[in-house]
Protein backbone atom coordinates (compact mmCIF):
# COMPACT_ATOMS: atom_id res chain seq x y z
CA UNK A 1 0.00 0.00 0.00
CA UNK A 2 1.31 3.42 -0.92
CA UNK A 3 1.06 5.60 2.19
CA UNK A 4 2.74 8.64 0.64
CA UNK A 5 0.09 11.33 0.31
CA UNK A 6 2.36 13.62 -1.71
CA UNK A 7 2.53 13.36 -5.49
CA UNK A 8 6.00 12.71 -6.91
CA UNK A 9 6.05 16.22 -8.31
CA UNK A 10 5.00 17.77 -5.01
CA UNK A 11 7.54 15.76 -3.04
CA UNK A 12 10.35 16.85 -5.37
CA UNK A 13 9.23 20.48 -5.16
CA UNK A 14 9.14 20.35 -1.35
CA UNK A 15 12.63 18.79 -1.26
CA UNK A 16 13.88 21.57 -3.56
CA UNK A 17 12.43 24.13 -1.15
CA UNK A 18 14.14 22.37 1.78
CA UNK A 19 17.45 22.89 -0.03
CA UNK A 20 16.61 26.53 -0.78
CA UNK A 21 15.95 27.22 2.89
CA UNK A 22 19.26 25.54 3.79
CA UNK A 23 20.96 27.64 1.12
CA UNK A 24 19.43 30.83 2.56
CA UNK A 25 20.71 29.80 5.98
CA UNK A 26 24.25 29.44 4.61
CA UNK A 27 24.02 32.78 2.76
CA UNK A 28 23.03 34.68 5.92
CA UNK A 29 25.67 32.82 7.90
CA UNK A 30 28.35 33.90 5.42
CA UNK A 31 27.08 37.51 5.43
CA UNK A 32 27.19 37.32 9.24
CA UNK A 33 30.86 36.31 9.11
CA UNK A 34 31.54 39.17 6.68
CA UNK A 35 29.85 41.67 9.04
CA UNK A 36 31.74 40.24 12.02
CA UNK A 37 35.11 40.54 10.23
CA UNK A 38 34.29 44.16 9.37
CA UNK A 39 33.57 45.05 12.98
CA UNK A 40 29.77 45.04 12.87
CA UNK A 41 29.17 42.61 15.73
CA UNK A 42 25.51 43.61 16.21
CA UNK A 43 24.64 43.20 12.54
CA UNK A 44 26.54 39.90 12.50
CA UNK A 45 24.46 38.67 15.41
CA UNK A 46 21.28 39.68 13.67
CA UNK A 47 22.34 37.74 10.55
CA UNK A 48 23.34 34.68 12.59
CA UNK A 49 19.89 34.63 14.19
CA UNK A 50 18.30 34.99 10.78
CA UNK A 51 20.43 32.14 9.47
CA UNK A 52 19.11 29.95 12.28
CA UNK A 53 15.56 30.89 11.36
CA UNK A 54 16.12 29.74 7.77
CA UNK A 55 17.44 26.44 9.05
CA UNK A 56 14.26 26.06 11.08
CA UNK A 57 12.29 26.61 7.85
CA UNK A 58 14.23 23.78 6.24
CA UNK A 59 13.36 21.50 9.16
CA UNK A 60 9.71 22.53 8.91
CA UNK A 61 9.61 21.37 5.27
CA UNK A 62 11.46 18.15 6.14
CA UNK A 63 9.01 17.43 8.97
CA UNK A 64 6.00 18.06 6.71
CA UNK A 65 7.27 15.70 3.98
CA UNK A 66 7.80 12.97 6.59
CA UNK A 67 4.42 13.62 8.24
CA UNK A 68 2.70 13.07 4.88
CA UNK A 69 4.40 9.69 4.50
CA UNK A 70 6.90 11.08 2.01
CA UNK A 71 10.64 10.67 1.71
CA UNK A 72 12.52 13.76 2.83
CA UNK A 73 15.99 14.06 1.33
CA UNK A 74 18.94 16.22 2.33
CA UNK A 75 20.62 17.41 -0.84
CA UNK A 76 23.80 19.35 -1.63
CA UNK A 77 23.69 23.08 -0.88
CA UNK A 78 25.35 25.45 -3.37
CA UNK A 79 28.14 27.63 -1.98
CA UNK A 80 27.06 31.07 -0.77
CA UNK A 81 27.69 33.97 -3.19
CA UNK A 82 30.60 36.38 -2.83
CA UNK A 83 30.75 38.70 0.15
CA UNK A 84 28.80 41.96 -0.10
CA UNK A 85 30.75 45.07 -1.11
CA UNK A 86 29.41 47.19 1.74
CA UNK A 87 26.48 47.37 4.17
CA UNK A 88 24.06 48.80 1.57
CA UNK A 89 24.95 45.93 -0.76
CA UNK A 90 24.56 43.46 2.11
CA UNK A 91 21.07 44.64 3.10
CA UNK A 92 19.95 44.93 -0.55
CA UNK A 93 21.05 41.34 -1.12
CA UNK A 94 19.22 40.13 1.98
CA UNK A 95 16.05 41.83 0.69
CA UNK A 96 16.46 40.45 -2.84
CA UNK A 97 17.01 36.98 -1.48
CA UNK A 98 13.78 37.13 0.51
CA UNK A 99 11.82 38.37 -2.53
CA UNK A 100 13.23 35.52 -4.65
CA UNK A 101 12.32 33.04 -1.96
CA UNK A 102 8.77 34.38 -1.87
CA UNK A 103 8.53 33.53 -5.59
CA UNK A 104 9.52 29.92 -4.80
CA UNK A 105 6.95 29.76 -2.01
CA UNK A 106 4.24 31.03 -4.38
CA UNK A 107 5.18 28.36 -6.94
CA UNK A 108 4.55 25.71 -4.29
CA UNK A 109 1.20 27.27 -3.38
CA UNK A 110 0.32 27.27 -7.06
CA UNK A 111 1.28 23.61 -7.49
CA UNK A 112 -0.76 22.64 -4.40
CA UNK A 113 -3.72 24.51 -5.88
CA UNK A 114 -3.37 22.79 -9.28
CA UNK A 115 -3.15 19.36 -7.64
CA UNK A 116 -5.99 20.15 -5.22
CA UNK A 117 -3.55 19.10 -2.49
CA UNK A 118 -5.28 21.13 0.21
CA UNK A 119 -3.11 19.78 3.04
CA UNK A 120 0.00 21.20 1.36
CA UNK A 121 -1.88 24.35 0.35
CA UNK A 122 -2.80 24.88 4.00
CA UNK A 123 0.75 24.09 5.19
CA UNK A 124 2.15 26.63 2.73
CA UNK A 125 0.02 29.48 4.11
CA UNK A 126 2.34 29.65 7.13
CA UNK A 127 5.19 30.40 4.73
CA UNK A 128 3.19 32.94 2.76
CA UNK A 129 2.72 34.87 6.01
CA UNK A 130 6.32 34.29 7.11
CA UNK A 131 7.60 35.78 3.85
CA UNK A 132 5.58 38.98 4.44
CA UNK A 133 7.37 39.22 7.78
CA UNK A 134 10.81 38.46 6.34
CA UNK A 135 10.47 40.96 3.50
CA UNK A 136 9.33 43.59 5.97
CA UNK A 137 12.31 42.85 8.21
CA UNK A 138 14.71 43.17 5.27
CA UNK A 139 13.08 46.44 4.18
CA UNK A 140 13.51 47.80 7.69
CA UNK A 141 17.23 47.06 7.49
CA UNK A 142 17.48 49.08 4.27
CA UNK A 143 15.48 51.95 5.81
CA UNK A 144 17.55 52.02 9.00
CA UNK A 145 20.78 52.20 7.02
CA UNK A 146 19.38 54.98 4.81
CA UNK A 147 18.49 57.01 7.90
CA UNK A 148 22.00 56.42 9.26
CA UNK A 149 23.37 57.98 6.05
CA UNK A 150 23.77 54.96 3.73
CA UNK A 151 27.25 54.57 2.25
CA UNK A 152 28.14 58.02 3.58
CA UNK A 153 27.12 57.15 7.15
CA UNK A 154 29.50 58.37 9.81
CA UNK A 155 31.27 55.84 12.03
CA UNK A 156 29.19 57.11 14.91
CA UNK A 157 25.83 56.52 13.22
CA UNK A 158 26.97 53.07 12.04
CA UNK A 159 27.98 52.30 15.60
CA UNK A 160 24.49 53.26 16.78
CA UNK A 161 22.86 51.18 14.01
CA UNK A 162 25.02 48.21 14.88
CA UNK A 163 24.06 48.51 18.55
CA UNK A 164 20.36 48.81 17.66
CA UNK A 165 20.45 45.64 15.55
CA UNK A 166 22.28 43.75 18.29
CA UNK A 167 19.16 44.12 20.41
CA UNK A 168 16.59 44.17 17.59
CA UNK A 169 13.99 41.44 17.57
CA UNK A 170 13.83 39.37 14.41
CA UNK A 171 10.09 39.12 14.86
CA UNK A 172 7.92 41.79 13.31
CA UNK A 173 4.24 42.24 13.92
CA UNK A 174 1.96 42.08 10.91
CA UNK A 175 -1.28 43.97 10.38
CA UNK A 176 -3.22 40.74 9.86
CA UNK A 177 -2.17 39.39 13.26
CA UNK A 178 -3.33 42.54 15.02
CA UNK A 179 -6.70 42.45 16.76
CA UNK A 180 -8.72 45.04 18.64
CA UNK A 181 -7.52 43.50 21.92
CA UNK A 182 -3.92 43.32 20.76
CA UNK A 183 -3.34 46.04 18.19
CA UNK A 184 0.45 45.66 17.97
FE1 LIG B 1 12.88 30.90 4.86
FE1 LIG C 1 13.85 34.20 4.81
Amino acid sequence: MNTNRLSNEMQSALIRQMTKEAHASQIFLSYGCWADINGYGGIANFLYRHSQEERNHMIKFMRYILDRGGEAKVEAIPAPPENPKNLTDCFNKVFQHEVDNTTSIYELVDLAFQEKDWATWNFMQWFVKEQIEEEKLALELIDKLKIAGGDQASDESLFTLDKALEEASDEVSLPQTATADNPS
Side-chain angles (χ1 to χ4, degrees), residues 15 19 75 82 84 88 92 94 122 128 130 138 152 159 168 177 181:
I15 290 172
T19 312
E75 297 194 316
E82 277 179 28
T88 308
N92 283 346
V94 169
N122 184 263
V128 170
E130 177 71 4
Q152 272 78 49
F159 181 79
T177 54
D181 289 341

Side-chain angles (χ1 to χ4, degrees), residues 5-182:
R5 267 118 335 126
L6 298 168
S7 73
N8 282 342
E9 199 186 344
M10 183 56 84
Q11 180 171 293
S12 303
L14 288 167
I15 290 172
R16 269 202 305 281
Q17 190 59 36
M18 253 181 83
T19 312
K20 276 185 185 164
E21 300 291 346
H23 185 45
S25 175
Q26 295 295 82
I27 291 173
F28 296 145
L29 196 62
S30 80
Y31 287 1
C33 288
W34 170 83
D36 221 326
I37 290 163
N38 284 282
Y40 303 117
I43 293 167
N45 239 307
F46 182 89
L47 289 163
Y48 294 149
R49 289 202 306 271
H50 202 62
S51 165
Q52 194 56 40
E53 218 179 274
E54 299 297 353
R55 189 171 192 281
N56 291 343
H57 294 166
M58 185 223 7
I59 300 289
K60 212 173 167 76
F61 276 104
M62 180 195 82
R63 213 37 283 165
Y64 178 73
I65 296 167
L66 295 170
D67 288 349
R68 298 298 291 157
E71 286 179 32
K73 209 168 150 210
V74 176
E75 297 194 316
I77 312 167
E82 277 179 28
N83 282 336
K85 287 192 269 302
N86 48 45
L87 277 183
T88 308
D89 190 37
C90 177
F91 292 172
N92 283 346
K93 282 185 168 140
V94 169
F95 177 72
Q96 191 55 51
H97 193 82
E98 290 300 346
V99 172
D100 292 346
N101 196 45
T102 301
T103 307
S104 303
I105 296 291
Y106 286 1
E107 280 167 13
L108 272 164
V109 175
D110 195 43
L111 182 63
F113 189 86
Q114 281 173 44
E115 288 191 1
K116 293 189 167 46
D117 177 350
W118 305 123
T120 302
W121 189 88
N122 184 263
F123 168 73
M124 288 309 299
Q125 297 311 305
W126 185 90
F127 282 97
V128 170
K129 199 167 142 192
E130 177 71 4
Q131 282 309 114
I132 300 174
E133 190 173 311
E134 303 236 306
E135 285 180 12
K136 185 177 171 189
L137 199 64
L139 255 186
E140 280 175 6
L141 288 180
I142 293 175
D143 287 346
K144 282 191 178 114
L145 182 60
K146 261 190 211 150
I147 292 165
D151 289 336
Q152 272 78 49
S154 67
D155 284 350
E156 201 189 338
S157 56
L158 283 181
F159 181 79
T160 312
L161 173 70
D162 189 58
K163 270 235 114 17
L165 284 178
E166 172 95 67
E167 286 136 31
S169 159
D170 38 18
E171 301 287 321
V172 289
S173 56
L174 296 172
Q176 67 265 45
T177 54
T179 61
D181 289 341
N182 183 15

